[in-house]
Amino acid sequence: MTGSVRVHRGSVLDVVADAVVSPANSFGWMRGGIDAVYARAFPAVEQNVRSTILAYHGGELPVGDAVVVPTGEPAPAWLISAPTMREPGERLPADTVHPYLAARAVFLQWRDGILEQGVAVRSVIETIAMPGLGTGVGGVTPETCARQVAAAWEEVFRRK
């Protein structure tokens, strides 16, 4: 069930993938950091994220949860919104576990998620491009993020 991990130095949009990860805020606003890049590249995606959060989570997607929405573009066709912060522009504390929680939510969504049509997420998404989680606006160091993403991977895919 597990695949491989490849590190890419450069834009997440340069990676050929079925889905990209948005380390968003809990309300789905995509106005800063990598989310603003996604909103420009995929004009329908912010509305898709916000509508899904409103419909399935009452307007606020907690850190530690994730949703999968169409980008409105052919490639990548999907965006996985996994908040690393509650409020837009929030600076995360040095001892945050939010990158871990966001990565775990992405991995669980891929492993166990079901799209509206009753289709398993993993049957339509094979490759996921994930930027640094909380490393931009949130201020998390790349090393901290990498350790936390690795721990989430270990928990979801390696532990029985």
Side-chain angles (χ1 to χ4, degrees):
M1 182 135 172
T2 63
S4 63
V5 175
R6 183 173 61 90
V7 175
H8 170 78
R9 180 172 241 123
S11 173
V12 68
L13 292 178
D14 291 341
V15 177
V16 177
D18 302 309
V20 292
V21 174
S22 166
N25 58 76
S26 293
F27 303 100
W29 293 111
M30 300 180 75
R31 307 291 164 80
I34 189 66
D35 288 324
V37 173
Y38 291 154
R40 284 190 300 275
F42 318 121
V45 80
E46 182 177 27
Q47 186 59 49
N48 291 346
V49 169
R50 292 190 38 76
S51 294
T52 300
I53 291 171
L54 181 61
Y56 295 99
H57 297 275
E60 183 174 351
L61 181 65
V63 172
D65 208 345
V67 295
V68 179
V69 301
T71 63
E73 300 295 325
W78 302 96
L79 179 133
I80 304 171
S81 182
T84 57
M85 59 188 66
R86 182 172 185 268
E87 298 283 340
E90 185 179 331
R91 189 85 174 165
L92 299 173
D95 64 348
T96 186
V97 295
H98 288 194
Y100 165 81
L101 294 171
R104 183 176 178 274
V106 169
F107 300 148
L108 289 172
Q109 190 63 255
W110 181 83
R111 189 187 75 187
D112 303 331
I114 303 293
L115 299 171
E116 278 186 14
Q117 307 83 357
V119 176
V121 170
R122 67 180 175 270
S123 72
V124 296
I125 297 176
E126 185 175 315
T127 304
I128 299 171
M130 180 185 294
L133 302 177
T135 59
V137 173
V140 174
T141 67
E143 296 79 12
T144 296
C145 174
R147 279 192 304 275
Q148 291 190 24
V149 171
W153 179 275
E154 181 71 23
E155 179 175 323
V156 173
F157 295 119
R158 302 261 193 257
R159 291 186 184 160
K160 300 291 181 194

